[in-house]
Amino acid sequence: GDQAIRKAVEFAEDNSDLGWKDLTAFSISEHDVVVGVAASGTTPYVIGAISKAEDLGLVTAGISCNPKSPLSLSTSYPITPVVGPEFVTGSTRMKSGTAQKMVLNMISTCLMIKLGHVKGNKMVDMQLSNKKLVARGIQMICDALGIPEKESRSLLTKYGSVRKAIEG
């Protein structure tokens, strides 16, 4: 959960029931895909959640760096970038964690494209949450419509989103 991002929750990964329990807070349905991530593919927390999702007939994927792992064998779609042994044994954040992050980036990018949040190669539904992103949005509108920056800024202010300004 959120607390584990800041402080380790010791032995939580050994609890095969806790993963599914944590997922129930998100009202998972048949429209969802449950993706488990475990470098070794042996983490009980992740395998338990995937197993329960599979039992309920949900689509599952597992990202591990071990093709023959319990996670890879128990999921609908195993994704197993094989990175070889870590340079520092036991430090899976190096090669395995990096490979898994790249896979997650590919999945999230494909989802954004499939959901229509991308036009061409531009993220038109981005959150304009800082000056850099507002400037990027203005430039996208300039490029898409072939208009000067001042006009683009005005459209972005009027519509509040790059997509709406372009489709206006």
Side-chain angles (χ1 to χ4, degrees), residues 38 76 151:
S76 306
E151 191 176 340

Side-chain angles (χ1 to χ4, degrees), residues 1-13:
D2 187 58
Q3 74 222 21
I5 292 171
R6 292 164 195 66
K7 185 173 187 231
V9 179
E10 301 302 336
F11 299 103
E13 72 177 33

Side-chain angles (χ1 to χ4, degrees), residues 30 87 122 137 140 159:
E30 69 276 0
F87 179 72
K122 309 264 192 299
M140 283 185 202
Y159 290 102

Side-chain angles (χ1 to χ4, degrees), residues 36-40 62-67 72 77-86 95-104 106-107:
V37 181
S40 67
I63 306 171
S64 80
C65 295
N66 181 356
S72 296
Y77 297 96
I79 303 169
T80 55
V82 179
V83 298
E86 293 289 350
K95 291 196 300 185
S96 297
T98 300
Q100 289 176 305
K101 174 67 171 130
M102 290 173 68
V103 170
L104 289 168
M106 288 182 244
I107 291 170

Side-chain angles (χ1 to χ4, degrees), residues 1-166:
D2 187 58
Q3 74 222 21
I5 292 171
R6 292 164 195 66
K7 185 173 187 231
V9 179
E10 301 302 336
F11 299 103
E13 72 177 33
D14 296 329
N15 186 330
S16 60
D17 296 322
L18 189 56
W20 180 255
K21 181 178 178 270
D22 287 346
L23 283 175
T24 60
F26 298 98
S27 303
I28 295 170
S29 75
E30 69 276 0
H31 302 291
D32 296 307
V33 175
V34 178
V35 180
V37 181
S40 67
T42 61
T43 307
Y45 177 94
V46 175
I47 295 167
I50 291 293
S51 295
K52 181 67 174 177
E54 283 278 325
D55 290 347
L56 294 171
L58 300 174
V59 176
T60 64
I63 306 171
S64 80
C65 295
N66 181 356
K68 303 280 188 220
S69 72
L71 179 60
S72 296
L73 299 173
S74 66
T75 186
S76 306
Y77 297 96
I79 303 169
T80 55
V82 179
V83 298
E86 293 289 350
F87 179 72
V88 175
T89 300
S91 184
T92 57
R93 66 185 175 84
M94 298 170 85
K95 291 196 300 185
S96 297
T98 300
Q100 289 176 305
K101 174 67 171 130
M102 290 173 68
V103 170
L104 289 168
N105 285 345
M106 288 182 244
I107 291 170
S108 64
T109 299
C110 289
L111 282 171
M112 297 303 279
I113 292 167
K114 286 285 196 182
L115 291 171
H117 298 300
V118 176
K119 280 187 161 291
N121 69 339
K122 309 264 192 299
M123 178 66 74
V124 294
D125 289 334
M126 66 182 175
Q127 298 296 312
L128 302 170
S129 57
N130 60 48
K131 290 179 181 179
K132 175 185 77 172
L133 293 175
V134 170
R136 186 177 296 160
I138 290 168
Q139 188 59 52
M140 283 185 202
I141 297 166
C142 287
D143 295 345
L145 300 178
I147 59 176
E149 181 181 334
K150 186 174 180 180
E151 191 176 340
S152 176
R153 182 181 302 277
S154 176
L155 285 173
L156 187 58
T157 301
K158 176 180 177 182
Y159 290 102
S161 92
V162 174
R163 171 186 300 282
K164 290 176 184 172
I166 292 171

